[in-house]
Structures are given as structure tokens and as C-alpha cells.
């Protein structure tokens, strides 16, 4: 790393992860840490994007470079015209916050169970909070600390109640905690007798949750609007907007794609094409959707 790179502010660490299944049935996690500096990150995403067009559409560009100003990356198209690409990440702030909250509560409750090995021996505990607002408060807040205390008190009582639960049986309970009466469902599954000495396994689950009235994928539309609001002047070259997400695979026929087309057809902007992209880990590939633009060679969605 050069001195100039070391002085650049670091982006949050948002790795690419996916689960791969082999022909033998084995499952493995595929992981890639993306670069943390702005230019390196844009170069990595741009390389995966154009690698996808090469792989899926045999549309190979040349003279790939990292630019400044309106062109985060610049390439020469097979048609010999220059393409400047603006790159922006669509950040699902709700999903990020929920992920952090789940990790914090899961770690705190795991610590509690390790300090009280007599509870839930031989059991698996699955926690699933409600999927709409209000969500559980952040653990470091006053309300969050109160919620954690409530959960610990309820867990202690539940641990005593299920001592007689036989292997193979389950117990499901639903609690309301905190000032907002957030609903948390807890499933206890006993695999081995309570005196086995086998420590419990805790899993904090729950899928993508939504604010009430929120449509899934609105963060993609927010990213597009933010770029339009910058009022870029149209360069002489072809000018593309590349919106990428490390969290979800875009659907060419879903709400986001349809809403984006309406937005881009009814709002003045300088872009010749707008793309949605989900990069794959450890491959110069990803899932690509053309949200807007007339490109004859790109007549069908890439799957």
C-alpha cells in the first residue's frame, strides 16, 4: 500500500459472502473481503461488473482504468466509444442496523449462558424478533439494557421450567419486551438430557425486516436519487450509472426494477444507462440487471 492509499479514509468492511453447494452435498462458505479505500473499491466492483458482461454477453471492453470526477471507472467499448461509469453502493441501512442489533443481543445472551452452565444443557435456543417496527433497541441504549435484563430474567425462569423437558421435545414461547412491547419468539429444542453437561447452542434468527409502509429495495431507489441530485453534466462520452449491493440479488422483474424504470423515465438525469449489480465473491462476476437504457446487445436480463 502506498502512502497516498494509507491516508485515504477507509470504507466500512462489507465482505462478500455466499454459501456454495458441491456435487457431493458438502456446503462451504465463499468469502471475499472487498478493498476498503474508495478508488480500490470502485476498481474491484467495476472489474466484476465488466467481467460479467464479458462472461454472459461476450461484450469485452478494453483500456479499463480508474478515473476521477464523473468517471469512477472508464473503459473502451467494443464499438470503440469511451464509457464513463459512476459507481454507487445501495446501502440498506435498516438491514445493517438489524444485523448489528442481532449480533449484540446474541453475543450478550451467549455470555450469560456461558456464565450459567446449569441452564439449557443439551438444548438449542432459537430467537426470532418481530419483523416489523418497532424493532429491538440498540443494546447500548438505556432501553436496550432494560430489554436485555428482561430477556435474561425470562431465560432464567424458562431454563428452570424446561429441566424436565425430554430429548426430542420442544418448547416455544413468545415474549413482549421493552417499552415498545417488541415480540420475541423463542424456540427451545432439547437434544440431550439436562444433566448431560453439553452446553447450549444459541441462534439469533430473523430475515430481512421492514419499516411499516416500506417497500423492499427502496434503498436502491434512494441511491439512484442521490446520484441524480448531484446534477452531473452529461459528458461527451457514454455515461453509465452502476448501482451495486453486497446484500441482495436484484430481480429483473421485481418491484425495484419496475419502480426504477418509472423513476428514470420521469426524472431528468444525464445517464445513458443505469445498472443494478450484485457482485459474487472471489470471481470477476456478478448478477446484472439493466434498469434503464436502450442497449440492443443487451436485449434480455442476465441470469
Amino acid at each position: 500500500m502506498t502512502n497516498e492509499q494509507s491516508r485515504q479514509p477507509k470504507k466500512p468492511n462489507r465482505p462478500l459472502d455466499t454459501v456454495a453447494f458441491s456435487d457431493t452435498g458438502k456446503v462451504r462458505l465463499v468469502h471475499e473481503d472487498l478493498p476498503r479505500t474508495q478508488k480500490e473499491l470502485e476498481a474491484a466492483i467495476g472489474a466484476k461488473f465488466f467481467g460479467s458482461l464479458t462472461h454472459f454477453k461476450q461484450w469485452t471492453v478494453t483500456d479499463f482504468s480508474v478515473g476521477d470526477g464523473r468517471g469512477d471507472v472508464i473503459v473502451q467499448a467494443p464499438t470503440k466509444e469511451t464509457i464513463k461509469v459512476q459507481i454507487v453502493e445501495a446501502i440498506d441501512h435498516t438491514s445493517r442496523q438489524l444485523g448489528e442489533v442481532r449480533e449484540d443481543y446474541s453475543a450478550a445472551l451467549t455470555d450469560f449462558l456461558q456464565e450459567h452452565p446449569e441452564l439449557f444443557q443439551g438444548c438449542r435456543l432459537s430467537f426470532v424478533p418481530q419483523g416489523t417496527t418497532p424493532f429491538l433497541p440498540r443494546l447500548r441504549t438505556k432501553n436496550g439494557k432494560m430489554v436485555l435484563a428482561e430477556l435474561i430474567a425470562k431465560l432464567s425462569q424458562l431454563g428452570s421450567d424446561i429441566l424436565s423437558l425430554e430429548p426430542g421435545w420442544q418448547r416455544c414461547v413468545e415474549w413482549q419486551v421493552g417499552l415498545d412491547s417488541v415480540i420475541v419468539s423463542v424456540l427451545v429444542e432439547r437434544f440431550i438430557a439436562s444433566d448431560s453437561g453439553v452446553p447450549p447452542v444459541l441462534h439469533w434468527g430473523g430475515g430481512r425486516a421492514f419499516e411499516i409502509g416500506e417497500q423492499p429495495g427502496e434503498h436502491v431507489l434512494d441511491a439512484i436519487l442521490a446520484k441524480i441530485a448531484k446534477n452531473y453534466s452529461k459528458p461527451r462520452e457514454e455515461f453509465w450509472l452502476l448501482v451495486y449491493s453486497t446484500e441482495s440479488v436484484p430481480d429483473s422483474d421485481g418491484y425495484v426494477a419496475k419502480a426504477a424504470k418509472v423513476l428514470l423515465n420521469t426524472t431528468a438525469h444525464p445517464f445513458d444507462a443505469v445498472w443494478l449489480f450484485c457482485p459474487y465473491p472471489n470471481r470477476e462476476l456478478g448478477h446484472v440487471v439493466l434498469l434503464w437504457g436502450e442497449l440492443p446487445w443487451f436485449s434480455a436480463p442476465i441470469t
Side-chain angles (χ1 to χ4, degrees):
M1 178 181 292
T2 66
N3 290 334
E4 180 181 353
Q5 289 172 327
S6 65
R7 289 193 297 268
Q8 294 181 24
K10 293 290 186 68
K11 290 285 190 178
N13 185 26
R14 292 167 184 156
L16 302 177
D17 290 303
T18 189
V19 176
F21 297 86
S22 68
D23 294 336
T24 61
K26 292 184 178 180
V27 179
R28 61 187 177 88
L29 178 68
V30 183
H31 175 90
E32 178 185 356
D33 288 311
L34 291 172
R36 299 285 301 280
T37 60
Q38 181 77 23
K39 293 298 183 184
E40 289 179 317
L41 178 59
E42 290 168 350
I45 296 298
K48 287 176 181 286
F49 169 69
F50 284 107
S52 301
L53 296 189
T54 299
H55 180 82
F56 293 112
K57 280 292 180 180
Q58 293 75 54
W59 204 78
T60 304
V61 300
T62 55
D63 298 333
F64 181 98
S65 64
V66 178
D68 290 302
R70 286 170 292 182
D72 292 328
V73 297
I74 303 171
V75 298
Q76 195 81 14
T79 55
K80 304 306 179 184
E81 62 186 323
T82 299
I83 302 174
K84 290 187 173 182
V85 185
Q86 268 288 313
I87 300 176
V88 61
E89 182 181 9
I91 302 173
D92 188 342
H93 293 286
T94 301
S95 179
R96 295 270 167 88
Q97 177 182 336
L98 285 172
E100 294 170 1
V101 168
R102 289 167 180 166
E103 289 178 2
D104 289 344
Y105 278 94
S106 178
L109 292 177
T110 297
D111 290 343
F112 167 73
L113 292 176
Q114 290 176 347
E115 294 169 2
H116 297 80
E118 71 281 2
L119 295 174
F120 300 103
Q121 291 185 40
C123 293
R124 172 186 170 90
L125 290 84
S126 300
F127 287 77
V128 181
Q130 67 188 29
T132 56
T133 50
F135 302 130
L136 287 171
R138 289 188 179 274
L139 195 53
R140 62 175 176 266
T141 64
K142 181 179 179 180
N143 194 18
K145 294 174 181 178
M146 182 179 72
V147 167
L148 178 61
E150 283 187 59
L151 289 173
I152 287 175
K154 291 178 181 295
L155 267 183
S156 299
Q157 182 60 52
L158 181 60
S160 299
D161 293 343
I162 59 95
L163 284 174
S164 59
L165 190 67
E166 296 181 358
W169 287 81
Q170 303 175 348
R171 178 75 56 83
C172 185
V173 296
E174 189 175 273
W175 298 330
Q176 291 187 346
V177 295
L179 298 175
D180 295 319
S181 298
V182 179
I183 297 174
V184 178
S185 299
V186 183
L187 174 66
V188 181
E189 304 168 271
R190 179 171 296 288
F191 298 104
I192 306 174
S194 59
D195 59 354
S196 63
V198 176
V201 175
L202 187 147
H203 171 71
W204 193 282
R208 166 68 170 91
F210 301 97
E211 300 278 356
I212 294 176
E214 175 192 7
Q215 289 283 358
E218 284 190 353
H219 58 293
V220 173
L221 305 180
D222 291 340
I224 295 173
L225 283 169
K227 279 297 181 180
I228 292 176
K230 290 184 178 293
N231 294 316
Y232 292 107
S233 59
K234 173 71 170 71
R236 291 174 299 173
E237 301 84 0
E238 186 84 357
F239 193 35
W240 290 1
L241 174 62
L242 175 60
V243 183
Y244 77 94
S245 171
T246 61
E247 298 166 324
S248 58
V249 177
D251 181 357
S252 59
D253 296 317
Y255 165 79
V256 174
K258 293 176 181 177
K261 285 182 174 65
V262 173
L263 169 65
L264 292 162
N265 279 326
T266 56
T267 307
H269 61 83
F271 304 111
D272 296 297
V274 178
W275 303 83
L276 182 56
F277 181 57
C278 178
Y280 299 158
N282 296 329
R283 301 182 71 186
E284 293 292 283
L285 293 175
H287 184 87
V288 182
V289 172
L290 176 61
L291 292 177
W292 187 89
E294 295 295 332
L295 300 175
W297 54 270
F298 197 84
S299 58
I302 292 176
T303 57

